Amino acid sequence: MSATGTPPHTPPRTPPRGVSRTRPGPQVLRRGGRRSPLRQLGKGVLVALLLVFTLFPVYWMLNSSLDAQAGHTSSFWPAEPTLEHYVFVLTEGGFGTFLRNSLLVALGTVVISSALALLASVAVARFRFRMRTQILMLVLIVQMVPLEALVIPLFVQVRDLQLLETLTGLIVVYVALALPFGIWMLRGFVAAVPVELEEAAYLDGASWGRMFWSVLLPLVAPGLVATSIFGFITAWNEFIFAMTMLGGSTENYTVAIGLRSFFGVHSNDWGAIMAASTIITVPVMIFFILVQRRLASGLTAGAVKE
């Protein structure tokens, strides 16, 4: 400042070469234009067509299972509504035994495969050991092998274990099929849990077992649920391995094999076939609808980088 109190003259700053002197104008926000009714109508029609295409086979199955003239007439509503097909399937058809066997096999597969997959995923995600990467790649490669190529090797192994024509042998096979997927999925969940949480629990005096049950297990529970659902559906619907391992043991048949008993040499009992198919399908669909949110969140939460 000069002696007279007048501030010294400051020359205007010149912008660097290549930079415009003009200030950018205010940005104009784009207004979200309203979607045209025609576009909305087109989307609605497309969704309706997809729903019809997806749900029509299920509706036709239910319709045929409730129609006394199933296989002889075709209509979009039961000509003679009846429950005789369901009564025949569950009593004379022996489908109640098949349902019990499938439930035992599916639950056994889910419990054993989930427990083994969780322990294996903790090992590959938390510990560093030799050939760790190779083991992970081997697990991924096993998932790429067609199931048909594994029928004979698994049959030989089950035969050597003397578990042919038993539900235990079938559970062993399904556990072997479900493990690669379970390990690969749960590994992402375990890797997403910060190691600092486990270290803090350990410093507070928690044992390794307590740390596993109280810290790690609740955080990987969504992935465990998603893995269990896939294992259950696989064990419930599988046919080739069940037919190969159980052979002629009719009392141990699962629902997938039991459904075949309603197909005859010269004719098929379509009412019984549709009733049995409904009994197989509807419970799984209801269960899947109830847990679809947890399944979707589990799949999304597991998609992390290590």
Side-chain angles (χ1 to χ4, degrees):
M1 181 178 296
S2 61
T4 59
T6 305
H9 176 69
T10 305
R13 296 182 180 180
T14 57
R17 180 177 300 178
V19 178
S20 175
R21 293 176 178 267
T22 59
R23 295 182 179 179
Q27 295 182 356
V28 180
L29 299 178
R30 294 185 178 181
R31 298 175 57 185
R34 293 179 298 176
R35 297 179 180 178
S36 63
L38 185 61
R39 187 176 181 182
Q40 292 291 331
L41 179 62
K43 287 186 177 181
V45 172
L46 181 60
V47 172
L49 290 177
L50 290 176
L51 288 176
V52 171
F53 181 78
T54 305
L55 298 178
F56 180 75
V58 179
Y59 168 76
W60 191 260
M61 179 178 64
L62 288 171
N63 176 46
S64 301
S65 66
L66 296 173
D67 192 353
Q69 301 297 326
H72 303 284
T73 60
S74 57
S75 60
F76 289 94
W77 189 255
E80 299 180 15
T82 181
L83 294 176
E84 293 180 358
H85 300 308
Y86 289 94
V87 176
F88 171 77
V89 164
L90 294 174
T91 56
E92 299 181 26
F95 216 72
T97 303
F98 304 151
L99 284 172
R100 182 198 63 192
N101 295 337
S102 288
L103 190 61
L104 290 175
V105 171
L107 292 179
T109 301
V110 167
V111 172
I112 298 175
S113 63
S114 299
L116 294 178
L118 180 59
L119 295 176
S121 62
V122 171
V124 297
R126 283 290 185 262
F127 300 101
R128 298 294 182 266
F129 50 88
R130 184 173 298 179
M131 298 186 65
R132 171 178 169 272
T133 305
Q134 289 77 0
I135 291 176
L136 288 174
M137 294 304 300
L138 183 62
V139 170
L140 184 60
I141 292 173
V142 169
Q143 289 185 272
M144 302 178 183
V145 178
L147 295 180
E148 292 78 6
L150 301 175
V151 173
I152 296 179
L154 289 176
F155 175 82
V156 173
Q157 293 182 6
V158 173
R159 183 197 61 187
D160 294 340
L161 294 174
Q162 298 181 358
L163 294 177
L164 284 178
E165 299 186 357
T166 63
L167 295 180
T168 304
L170 190 59
I171 292 175
V172 170
V173 171
Y174 288 160
V175 168
L177 296 178
L179 266 180
F181 174 80
I183 294 173
W184 191 260
M185 170 170 280
L186 288 176
R187 170 184 168 272
F189 284 90
V190 176
V193 176
V195 183
E196 291 76 12
L197 294 178
E198 303 174 11
E199 294 176 348
Y202 183 72
L203 292 176
D204 288 340
S207 61
W208 287 105
R210 181 58 181 261
M211 180 182 63
F212 178 83
W213 288 104
S214 301
V215 178
L216 185 62
L217 186 60
L219 294 176
V220 301
L224 202 59
V225 171
T227 305
S228 301
I229 292 171
F230 278 106
F232 180 86
I233 294 176
T234 300
W236 185 268
N237 296 329
E238 204 280 323
F239 175 81
I240 296 177
F241 286 95
M243 190 65 198
T244 305
M245 304 302 166
L246 297 178
S249 181
T250 309
E251 66 275 7
N252 290 329
Y253 277 1
T254 58
V255 290
I257 309 176
L259 181 63
R260 196 188 59 155
S261 61
F262 300 108
F263 289 87
V265 178
H266 302 288
S267 62
N268 302 320
D269 189 352
W270 289 110
I273 292 172
M274 293 302 175
S277 301
T278 303
I279 294 174
I280 297 173
T281 306
V282 171
V284 178
M285 290 182 60
I286 295 175
F287 177 70
F288 187 81
I289 291 173
L290 293 176
V291 300
Q292 62 176 342
R293 288 188 176 181
R294 187 175 294 273
L295 176 62
S297 62
L299 293 175
T300 306
V304 296
K305 288 186 178 181
E306 184 179 357

